[in-house]
PDB file of all heavy atoms in Angstrom:
ATOM      1  N   ASN C 122     124.415  94.170  87.843  1.00 94.00           N
ATOM      2  CA  ASN C 122     124.442  95.016  89.033  1.00 94.00           C
ATOM      3  C   ASN C 122     123.092  94.998  89.729  1.00 94.00           C
ATOM      4  O   ASN C 122     122.073  94.698  89.121  1.00 94.00           O
ATOM      5  CB  ASN C 122     124.788  96.464  88.658  1.00 94.00           C
ATOM      6  CG  ASN C 122     126.127  96.598  87.977  1.00 94.00           C
ATOM      7  OD1 ASN C 122     126.209  96.789  86.776  1.00 94.00           O
ATOM      8  ND2 ASN C 122     127.199  96.489  88.752  1.00 94.00           N
ATOM      9  N   THR C 123     123.089  95.349  90.997  1.00 92.00           N
ATOM     10  CA  THR C 123     121.848  95.436  91.749  1.00 92.00           C
ATOM     11  C   THR C 123     121.248  96.841  91.611  1.00 92.00           C
ATOM     12  O   THR C 123     121.897  97.768  91.122  1.00 92.00           O
ATOM     13  CB  THR C 123     122.088  95.168  93.240  1.00 92.00           C
ATOM     14  OG1 THR C 123     122.896  96.235  93.778  1.00 92.00           O
ATOM     15  CG2 THR C 123     122.777  93.832  93.461  1.00 92.00           C
ATOM     16  N   LYS C 124     120.010  96.980  92.079  1.00 91.00           N
ATOM     17  CA  LYS C 124     119.387  98.300  92.098  1.00 91.00           C
ATOM     18  C   LYS C 124     120.178  99.241  93.009  1.00 91.00           C
ATOM     19  O   LYS C 124     120.243 100.447  92.756  1.00 91.00           O
ATOM     20  CB  LYS C 124     117.941  98.193  92.573  1.00 91.00           C
ATOM     21  CG  LYS C 124     117.061  99.364  92.161  1.00 91.00           C
ATOM     22  CD  LYS C 124     115.644  99.166  92.636  1.00 91.00           C
ATOM     23  CE  LYS C 124     114.657 100.067  91.919  1.00 91.00           C
ATOM     24  NZ  LYS C 124     114.290  99.566  90.584  1.00 91.00           N
ATOM     25  N   ILE C 125     120.770  98.684  94.041  1.00 94.00           N
ATOM     26  CA  ILE C 125     121.617  99.476  94.930  1.00 94.00           C
ATOM     27  C   ILE C 125     122.782 100.066  94.146  1.00 94.00           C
ATOM     28  O   ILE C 125     123.108 101.251  94.269  1.00 94.00           O
ATOM     29  CB  ILE C 125     122.131  98.609  96.096  1.00 94.00           C
ATOM     30  CG1 ILE C 125     120.950  98.066  96.910  1.00 94.00           C
ATOM     31  CG2 ILE C 125     123.087  99.391  96.987  1.00 94.00           C
ATOM     32  CD1 ILE C 125     121.276  96.835  97.714  1.00 94.00           C
ATOM     33  N   ASP C 126     123.414  99.229  93.302  1.00 96.00           N
ATOM     34  CA  ASP C 126     124.541  99.685  92.477  1.00 96.00           C
ATOM     35  C   ASP C 126     124.093 100.758  91.476  1.00 96.00           C
ATOM     36  O   ASP C 126     124.820 101.724  91.223  1.00 96.00           O
ATOM     37  CB  ASP C 126     125.139  98.518  91.693  1.00 96.00           C
ATOM     38  CG  ASP C 126     125.696  97.417  92.573  1.00 96.00           C
ATOM     39  OD1 ASP C 126     126.172  97.734  93.679  1.00 96.00           O
ATOM     40  OD2 ASP C 126     125.644  96.245  92.166  1.00 96.00           O
ATOM     41  N   ILE C 127     122.905 100.560  90.903  1.00 97.00           N
ATOM     42  CA  ILE C 127     122.386 101.535  89.943  1.00 97.00           C
ATOM     43  C   ILE C 127     122.218 102.886  90.612  1.00 97.00           C
ATOM     44  O   ILE C 127     122.630 103.933  90.075  1.00 97.00           O
ATOM     45  CB  ILE C 127     121.040 101.059  89.356  1.00 97.00           C
ATOM     46  CG1 ILE C 127     121.229  99.794  88.522  1.00 97.00           C
ATOM     47  CG2 ILE C 127     120.394 102.156  88.511  1.00 97.00           C
ATOM     48  CD1 ILE C 127     119.923  99.167  88.049  1.00 97.00           C
ATOM     49  N   LEU C 128     121.626 102.878  91.804  1.00 97.00           N
ATOM     50  CA  LEU C 128     121.426 104.132  92.521  1.00 97.00           C
ATOM     51  C   LEU C 128     122.767 104.757  92.913  1.00 97.00           C
ATOM     52  O   LEU C 128     122.938 105.985  92.812  1.00 97.00           O
ATOM     53  CB  LEU C 128     120.571 103.898  93.767  1.00 97.00           C
ATOM     54  CG  LEU C 128     120.256 105.148  94.597  1.00 97.00           C
ATOM     55  CD1 LEU C 128     119.504 106.186  93.775  1.00 97.00           C
ATOM     56  CD2 LEU C 128     119.459 104.775  95.842  1.00 97.00           C
ATOM     57  N   THR C 129     123.717 103.937  93.327  1.00 98.00           N
ATOM     58  CA  THR C 129     125.046 104.455  93.654  1.00 98.00           C
ATOM     59  C   THR C 129     125.635 105.201  92.471  1.00 98.00           C
ATOM     60  O   THR C 129     126.157 106.316  92.613  1.00 98.00           O
ATOM     61  CB  THR C 129     125.996 103.304  94.060  1.00 98.00           C
ATOM     62  OG1 THR C 129     125.457 102.612  95.187  1.00 98.00           O
ATOM     63  CG2 THR C 129     127.381 103.829  94.407  1.00 98.00           C
ATOM     64  N   ASP C 130     125.539 104.590  91.293  1.00 98.00           N
ATOM     65  CA  ASP C 130     126.061 105.210  90.077  1.00 98.00           C
ATOM     66  C   ASP C 130     125.320 106.511  89.773  1.00 98.00           C
ATOM     67  O   ASP C 130     125.929 107.533  89.440  1.00 98.00           O
ATOM     68  CB  ASP C 130     125.939 104.233  88.901  1.00 98.00           C
ATOM     69  CG  ASP C 130     126.821 104.608  87.720  1.00 98.00           C
ATOM     70  OD1 ASP C 130     127.826 105.315  87.931  1.00 98.00           O
ATOM     71  OD2 ASP C 130     126.501 104.202  86.593  1.00 98.00           O
ATOM     72  N   GLY C 131     123.996 106.468  89.897  1.00 98.00           N
ATOM     73  CA  GLY C 131     123.204 107.660  89.617  1.00 98.00           C
ATOM     74  C   GLY C 131     123.491 108.799  90.575  1.00 98.00           C
ATOM     75  O   GLY C 131     123.583 109.969  90.163  1.00 98.00           O
ATOM     76  N   LEU C 132     123.646 108.488  91.854  1.00 98.00           N
ATOM     77  CA  LEU C 132     123.960 109.523  92.835  1.00 98.00           C
ATOM     78  C   LEU C 132     125.337 110.116  92.571  1.00 98.00           C
ATOM     79  O   LEU C 132     125.550 111.327  92.733  1.00 98.00           O
ATOM     80  CB  LEU C 132     123.888 108.944  94.253  1.00 98.00           C
ATOM     81  CG  LEU C 132     122.485 108.540  94.736  1.00 98.00           C
ATOM     82  CD1 LEU C 132     122.568 107.833  96.086  1.00 98.00           C
ATOM     83  CD2 LEU C 132     121.554 109.755  94.823  1.00 98.00           C
ATOM     84  N   GLU C 133     126.268 109.268  92.125  1.00 98.00           N
ATOM     85  CA  GLU C 133     127.599 109.781  91.769  1.00 98.00           C
ATOM     86  C   GLU C 133     127.530 110.697  90.549  1.00 98.00           C
ATOM     87  O   GLU C 133     128.346 111.617  90.412  1.00 98.00           O
ATOM     88  CB  GLU C 133     128.560 108.618  91.505  1.00 98.00           C
ATOM     89  CG  GLU C 133     128.960 107.875  92.772  1.00 98.00           C
ATOM     90  CD  GLU C 133     129.823 106.659  92.512  1.00 98.00           C
ATOM     91  OE1 GLU C 133     130.025 106.303  91.319  1.00 98.00           O
ATOM     92  OE2 GLU C 133     130.307 106.049  93.498  1.00 98.00           O
ATOM     93  N   MET C 134     126.533 110.474  89.670  1.00 98.00           N
ATOM     94  CA  MET C 134     126.318 111.362  88.530  1.00 98.00           C
ATOM     95  C   MET C 134     125.541 112.617  88.921  1.00 98.00           C
ATOM     96  O   MET C 134     125.346 113.512  88.106  1.00 98.00           O
ATOM     97  CB  MET C 134     125.552 110.624  87.411  1.00 98.00           C
ATOM     98  CG  MET C 134     126.372 109.625  86.635  1.00 98.00           C
ATOM     99  SD  MET C 134     125.475 109.026  85.156  1.00 98.00           S
ATOM    100  CE  MET C 134     124.469 107.711  85.854  1.00 98.00           C
ATOM    101  N   GLY C 135     125.066 112.659  90.173  1.00 98.00           N
ATOM    102  CA  GLY C 135     124.316 113.813  90.636  1.00 98.00           C
ATOM    103  C   GLY C 135     122.878 113.845  90.153  1.00 98.00           C
ATOM    104  O   GLY C 135     122.269 114.919  90.062  1.00 98.00           O
ATOM    105  N   LEU C 136     122.302 112.680  89.862  1.00 98.00           N
ATOM    106  CA  LEU C 136     120.956 112.633  89.315  1.00 98.00           C
ATOM    107  C   LEU C 136     119.904 112.927  90.384  1.00 98.00           C
ATOM    108  O   LEU C 136     120.076 112.587  91.558  1.00 98.00           O
ATOM    109  CB  LEU C 136     120.690 111.259  88.691  1.00 98.00           C
ATOM    110  CG  LEU C 136     121.616 110.832  87.552  1.00 98.00           C
ATOM    111  CD1 LEU C 136     121.132 109.512  86.953  1.00 98.00           C
ATOM    112  CD2 LEU C 136     121.694 111.906  86.470  1.00 98.00           C
ATOM    113  N   ASP C 137     118.817 113.524  89.940  1.00 98.00           N
ATOM    114  CA  ASP C 137     117.713 113.888  90.826  1.00 98.00           C
ATOM    115  C   ASP C 137     116.605 112.854  90.686  1.00 98.00           C
ATOM    116  O   ASP C 137     115.868 112.840  89.708  1.00 98.00           O
ATOM    117  CB  ASP C 137     117.194 115.281  90.445  1.00 98.00           C
ATOM    118  CG  ASP C 137     115.991 115.702  91.278  1.00 98.00           C
ATOM    119  OD1 ASP C 137     115.646 114.991  92.246  1.00 98.00           O
ATOM    120  OD2 ASP C 137     115.399 116.753  90.949  1.00 98.00           O
ATOM    121  N   TYR C 138     116.477 111.980  91.688  1.00 98.00           N
ATOM    122  CA  TYR C 138     115.515 110.885  91.597  1.00 98.00           C
ATOM    123  C   TYR C 138     114.093 111.288  91.978  1.00 98.00           C
ATOM    124  O   TYR C 138     113.197 110.448  91.964  1.00 98.00           O
ATOM    125  CB  TYR C 138     116.001 109.691  92.412  1.00 98.00           C
ATOM    126  CG  TYR C 138     117.105 108.953  91.695  1.00 98.00           C
ATOM    127  CD1 TYR C 138     118.446 109.244  91.958  1.00 98.00           C
ATOM    128  CD2 TYR C 138     116.814 108.012  90.713  1.00 98.00           C
ATOM    129  CE1 TYR C 138     119.463 108.588  91.266  1.00 98.00           C
ATOM    130  CE2 TYR C 138     117.819 107.360  90.021  1.00 98.00           C
ATOM    131  CZ  TYR C 138     119.140 107.654  90.306  1.00 98.00           C
ATOM    132  OH  TYR C 138     120.128 107.009  89.609  1.00 98.00           O
ATOM    133  N   SER C 139     113.892 112.572  92.265  1.00 97.00           N
ATOM    134  CA  SER C 139     112.517 113.053  92.397  1.00 97.00           C
ATOM    135  C   SER C 139     111.846 113.079  91.026  1.00 97.00           C
ATOM    136  O   SER C 139     110.627 113.193  90.930  1.00 97.00           O
ATOM    137  CB  SER C 139     112.488 114.450  93.030  1.00 97.00           C
ATOM    138  OG  SER C 139     113.007 115.429  92.135  1.00 97.00           O
ATOM    139  N   GLN C 140     112.643 112.939  89.960  1.00 97.00           N
ATOM    140  CA  GLN C 140     112.138 112.946  88.595  1.00 97.00           C
ATOM    141  C   GLN C 140     111.856 111.525  88.094  1.00 97.00           C
ATOM    142  O   GLN C 140     111.922 111.248  86.894  1.00 97.00           O
ATOM    143  CB  GLN C 140     113.146 113.631  87.660  1.00 97.00           C
ATOM    144  CG  GLN C 140     113.430 115.075  88.027  1.00 97.00           C
ATOM    145  CD  GLN C 140     114.437 115.725  87.112  1.00 97.00           C
ATOM    146  OE1 GLN C 140     114.582 115.363  85.949  1.00 97.00           O
ATOM    147  NE2 GLN C 140     115.161 116.706  87.626  1.00 97.00           N
ATOM    148  N   THR C 141     111.543 110.616  89.021  1.00 97.00           N
ATOM    149  CA  THR C 141     111.253 109.230  88.656  1.00 97.00           C
ATOM    150  C   THR C 141     110.008 108.761  89.394  1.00 97.00           C
ATOM    151  O   THR C 141     109.617 109.337  90.409  1.00 97.00           O
ATOM    152  CB  THR C 141     112.425 108.292  89.028  1.00 97.00           C
ATOM    153  OG1 THR C 141     112.605 108.288  90.450  1.00 97.00           O
ATOM    154  CG2 THR C 141     113.725 108.748  88.371  1.00 97.00           C
ATOM    155  N   TRP C 142     109.424 107.685  88.882  1.00 94.00           N
ATOM    156  CA  TRP C 142     108.290 107.044  89.562  1.00 94.00           C
ATOM    157  C   TRP C 142     108.475 105.546  89.470  1.00 94.00           C
ATOM    158  O   TRP C 142     108.702 104.997  88.390  1.00 94.00           O
ATOM    159  CB  TRP C 142     106.963 107.437  88.929  1.00 94.00           C
ATOM    160  CG  TRP C 142     105.780 106.857  89.667  1.00 94.00           C
ATOM    161  CD1 TRP C 142     105.094 105.717  89.349  1.00 94.00           C
ATOM    162  CD2 TRP C 142     105.184 107.363  90.861  1.00 94.00           C
ATOM    163  NE1 TRP C 142     104.100 105.485  90.273  1.00 94.00           N
ATOM    164  CE2 TRP C 142     104.127 106.484  91.216  1.00 94.00           C
ATOM    165  CE3 TRP C 142     105.433 108.462  91.668  1.00 94.00           C
ATOM    166  CZ2 TRP C 142     103.333 106.675  92.334  1.00 94.00           C
ATOM    167  CZ3 TRP C 142     104.639 108.665  92.793  1.00 94.00           C
ATOM    168  CH2 TRP C 142     103.603 107.781  93.110  1.00 94.00           C
ATOM    169  N   THR C 143     108.385 104.860  90.613  1.00 90.00           N
ATOM    170  CA  THR C 143     108.644 103.431  90.678  1.00 90.00           C
ATOM    171  C   THR C 143     107.421 102.625  91.107  1.00 90.00           C
ATOM    172  O   THR C 143     107.229 101.492  90.666  1.00 90.00           O
ATOM    173  CB  THR C 143     109.814 103.162  91.662  1.00 90.00           C
ATOM    174  OG1 THR C 143     110.981 103.843  91.195  1.00 90.00           O
ATOM    175  CG2 THR C 143     110.107 101.680  91.784  1.00 90.00           C
ATOM    176  N   CYS C 144     106.582 103.191  91.957  1.00 91.00           N
ATOM    177  CA  CYS C 144     105.462 102.462  92.571  1.00 91.00           C
ATOM    178  C   CYS C 144     104.532 101.848  91.525  1.00 91.00           C
ATOM    179  O   CYS C 144     104.207 102.473  90.517  1.00 91.00           O
ATOM    180  CB  CYS C 144     104.688 103.416  93.471  1.00 91.00           C
ATOM    181  SG  CYS C 144     103.320 102.636  94.357  1.00 91.00           S
ATOM    182  N   TYR C 145     104.107 100.610  91.781  1.00 82.00           N
ATOM    183  CA  TYR C 145     103.186  99.933  90.876  1.00 82.00           C
ATOM    184  C   TYR C 145     101.782 100.549  90.905  1.00 82.00           C
ATOM    185  O   TYR C 145     100.978 100.317  90.014  1.00 82.00           O
ATOM    186  CB  TYR C 145     103.084  98.453  91.235  1.00 82.00           C
ATOM    187  CG  TYR C 145     104.268  97.630  90.799  1.00 82.00           C
ATOM    188  CD1 TYR C 145     104.705  96.548  91.560  1.00 82.00           C
ATOM    189  CD2 TYR C 145     104.951  97.912  89.618  1.00 82.00           C
ATOM    190  CE1 TYR C 145     105.778  95.769  91.163  1.00 82.00           C
ATOM    191  CE2 TYR C 145     106.023  97.155  89.221  1.00 82.00           C
ATOM    192  CZ  TYR C 145     106.433  96.082  89.993  1.00 82.00           C
ATOM    193  OH  TYR C 145     107.498  95.313  89.592  1.00 82.00           O
ATOM    194  N   ASN C 146     101.499 101.306  91.969  1.00 80.00           N
ATOM    195  CA  ASN C 146     100.213 101.992  92.058  1.00 80.00           C
ATOM    196  C   ASN C 146     100.385 103.436  91.583  1.00 80.00           C
ATOM    197  O   ASN C 146     101.430 104.031  91.795  1.00 80.00           O
ATOM    198  CB  ASN C 146      99.703 101.981  93.505  1.00 80.00           C
ATOM    199  CG  ASN C 146      99.430 100.564  93.999  1.00 80.00           C
ATOM    200  OD1 ASN C 146      98.520  99.904  93.513  1.00 80.00           O
ATOM    201  ND2 ASN C 146     100.227 100.085  94.944  1.00 80.00           N
ATOM    202  N   GLY C 147      99.378 103.974  90.965  1.00 77.00           N
ATOM    203  CA  GLY C 147      99.498 105.300  90.364  1.00 77.00           C
ATOM    204  C   GLY C 147      98.838 106.399  91.161  1.00 77.00           C
ATOM    205  O   GLY C 147      98.332 107.361  90.592  1.00 77.00           O
ATOM    206  N   ARG C 148      98.860 106.261  92.475  1.00 85.00           N
ATOM    207  CA  ARG C 148      98.225 107.273  93.310  1.00 85.00           C
ATOM    208  C   ARG C 148      99.132 108.509  93.441  1.00 85.00           C
ATOM    209  O   ARG C 148     100.227 108.533  92.896  1.00 85.00           O
ATOM    210  CB  ARG C 148      97.895 106.672  94.677  1.00 85.00           C
ATOM    211  CG  ARG C 148      96.930 105.479  94.582  1.00 85.00           C
ATOM    212  CD  ARG C 148      96.425 105.035  95.944  1.00 85.00           C
ATOM    213  NE  ARG C 148      97.414 104.355  96.741  1.00 85.00           N
ATOM    214  CZ  ARG C 148      97.543 103.023  96.788  1.00 85.00           C
ATOM    215  NH1 ARG C 148      96.780 102.239  96.039  1.00 85.00           N
ATOM    216  NH2 ARG C 148      98.450 102.462  97.580  1.00 85.00           N
ATOM    217  N   GLN C 149      98.651 109.501  94.169  1.00 89.00           N
ATOM    218  CA  GLN C 149      99.402 110.750  94.280  1.00 89.00           C
ATOM    219  C   GLN C 149     100.779 110.525  94.892  1.00 89.00           C
ATOM    220  O   GLN C 149     101.777 111.096  94.454  1.00 89.00           O
ATOM    221  CB  GLN C 149      98.621 111.771  95.106  1.00 89.00           C
ATOM    222  CG  GLN C 149      99.325 113.129  95.212  1.00 89.00           C
ATOM    223  CD  GLN C 149      98.510 114.152  95.983  1.00 89.00           C
ATOM    224  OE1 GLN C 149      97.420 113.859  96.464  1.00 89.00           O
ATOM    225  NE2 GLN C 149      99.045 115.358  96.121  1.00 89.00           N
ATOM    226  N   HIS C 150     100.830 109.684  95.919  1.00 94.00           N
ATOM    227  CA  HIS C 150     102.088 109.350  96.569  1.00 94.00           C
ATOM    228  C   HIS C 150     102.380 107.859  96.392  1.00 94.00           C
ATOM    229  O   HIS C 150     101.457 107.056  96.221  1.00 94.00           O
ATOM    230  CB  HIS C 150     102.029 109.693  98.059  1.00 94.00           C
ATOM    231  CG  HIS C 150     101.892 111.148  98.336  1.00 94.00           C
ATOM    232  ND1 HIS C 150     101.410 111.630  99.541  1.00 94.00           N
ATOM    233  CD2 HIS C 150     102.150 112.231  97.577  1.00 94.00           C
ATOM    234  CE1 HIS C 150     101.393 112.955  99.510  1.00 94.00           C
ATOM    235  NE2 HIS C 150     101.843 113.343  98.318  1.00 94.00           N
ATOM    236  N   ALA C 151     103.657 107.504  96.435  1.00 95.00           N
ATOM    237  CA  ALA C 151     104.046 106.091  96.350  1.00 95.00           C
ATOM    238  C   ALA C 151     103.538 105.335  97.568  1.00 95.00           C
ATOM    239  O   ALA C 151     103.485 105.885  98.674  1.00 95.00           O
ATOM    240  CB  ALA C 151     105.560 105.977  96.239  1.00 95.00           C
ATOM    241  N   CYS C 152     103.180 104.047  97.374  1.00 92.00           N
ATOM    242  CA  CYS C 152     102.565 103.289  98.470  1.00 92.00           C
ATOM    243  C   CYS C 152     103.572 102.854  99.524  1.00 92.00           C
ATOM    244  O   CYS C 152     103.246 102.723 100.700  1.00 92.00           O
ATOM    245  CB  CYS C 152     101.806 102.079  97.920  1.00 92.00           C
ATOM    246  SG  CYS C 152     102.857 100.721  97.327  1.00 92.00           S
ATOM    247  N   GLY C 153     104.819 102.591  99.117  1.00 93.00           N
ATOM    248  CA  GLY C 153     105.843 102.146 100.053  1.00 93.00           C
ATOM    249  C   GLY C 153     105.733 100.685 100.447  1.00 93.00           C
ATOM    250  O   GLY C 153     106.554 100.182 101.218  1.00 93.00           O
ATOM    251  N   LYS C 154     104.728  99.974  99.909  1.00 88.00           N
ATOM    252  CA  LYS C 154     104.481  98.596 100.325  1.00 88.00           C
ATOM    253  C   LYS C 154     104.678  97.571  99.201  1.00 88.00           C
ATOM    254  O   LYS C 154     104.964  96.409  99.487  1.00 88.00           O
ATOM    255  CB  LYS C 154     103.059  98.479 100.868  1.00 88.00           C
ATOM    256  CG  LYS C 154     102.813  99.314 102.115  1.00 88.00           C
ATOM    257  CD  LYS C 154     101.366  99.201 102.571  1.00 88.00           C
ATOM    258  CE  LYS C 154     101.111 100.049 103.815  1.00 88.00           C
ATOM    259  NZ  LYS C 154      99.688  99.979 104.245  1.00 88.00           N
ATOM    260  N   CYS C 155     104.475  97.979  97.961  1.00 84.00           N
ATOM    261  CA  CYS C 155     104.642  97.016  96.858  1.00 84.00           C
ATOM    262  C   CYS C 155     106.121  96.677  96.704  1.00 84.00           C
ATOM    263  O   CYS C 155     106.998  97.369  97.230  1.00 84.00           O
ATOM    264  CB  CYS C 155     104.065  97.581  95.559  1.00 84.00           C
ATOM    265  SG  CYS C 155     104.978  98.967  94.833  1.00 84.00           S
ATOM    266  N   GLY C 156     106.400  95.608  95.972  1.00 82.00           N
ATOM    267  CA  GLY C 156     107.780  95.158  95.814  1.00 82.00           C
ATOM    268  C   GLY C 156     108.677  96.205  95.199  1.00 82.00           C
ATOM    269  O   GLY C 156     109.844  96.357  95.586  1.00 82.00           O
ATOM    270  N   ALA C 157     108.141  96.957  94.223  1.00 85.00           N
ATOM    271  CA  ALA C 157     108.943  97.984  93.559  1.00 85.00           C
ATOM    272  C   ALA C 157     109.348  99.075  94.538  1.00 85.00           C
ATOM    273  O   ALA C 157     110.498  99.531  94.553  1.00 85.00           O
ATOM    274  CB  ALA C 157     108.162  98.569  92.388  1.00 85.00           C
ATOM    275  N   CYS C 158     108.392  99.510  95.368  1.00 91.00           N
ATOM    276  CA  CYS C 158     108.693 100.530  96.379  1.00 91.00           C
ATOM    277  C   CYS C 158     109.707 100.006  97.393  1.00 91.00           C
ATOM    278  O   CYS C 158     110.647 100.720  97.777  1.00 91.00           O
ATOM    279  CB  CYS C 158     107.420 100.947  97.102  1.00 91.00           C
ATOM    280  SG  CYS C 158     106.391 102.150  96.215  1.00 91.00           S
ATOM    281  N   GLN C 159     109.517  98.778  97.841  1.00 90.00           N
ATOM    282  CA  GLN C 159     110.399  98.240  98.867  1.00 90.00           C
ATOM    283  C   GLN C 159     111.835  98.123  98.364  1.00 90.00           C
ATOM    284  O   GLN C 159     112.784  98.435  99.084  1.00 90.00           O
ATOM    285  CB  GLN C 159     109.878  96.886  99.346  1.00 90.00           C
ATOM    286  CG  GLN C 159     108.598  97.002 100.153  1.00 90.00           C
ATOM    287  CD  GLN C 159     108.416  95.855 101.129  1.00 90.00           C
ATOM    288  OE1 GLN C 159     109.256  94.971 101.250  1.00 90.00           O
ATOM    289  NE2 GLN C 159     107.304  95.872 101.834  1.00 90.00           N
TER     290      GLN C 159
END
């Protein structure tokens, strides 16, 4: 499955994705530019 599919499944489970961190940089906010963020 794609990351899109994973998120679809998680949203259907009602998961709160504010409880996750994806960005490769560890700053206060996600960078939005690295591959993981994109």
Side-chain angles (χ1 to χ4, degrees):
N122 301 105
T123 66
K124 201 179 197 79
I125 300 158
D126 299 329
I127 295 173
L128 181 60
T129 301
D130 198 24
L132 292 173
E133 288 176 354
M134 285 190 276
L136 300 186
D137 177 8
Y138 284 94
S139 70
Q140 300 179 28
T141 63
W142 184 263
T143 300
C144 183
Y145 284 146
N146 296 293
R148 300 190 287 265
Q149 183 177 1
H150 295 159
C152 73
K154 297 178 181 178
C155 70
C158 279
Q159 290 206 2

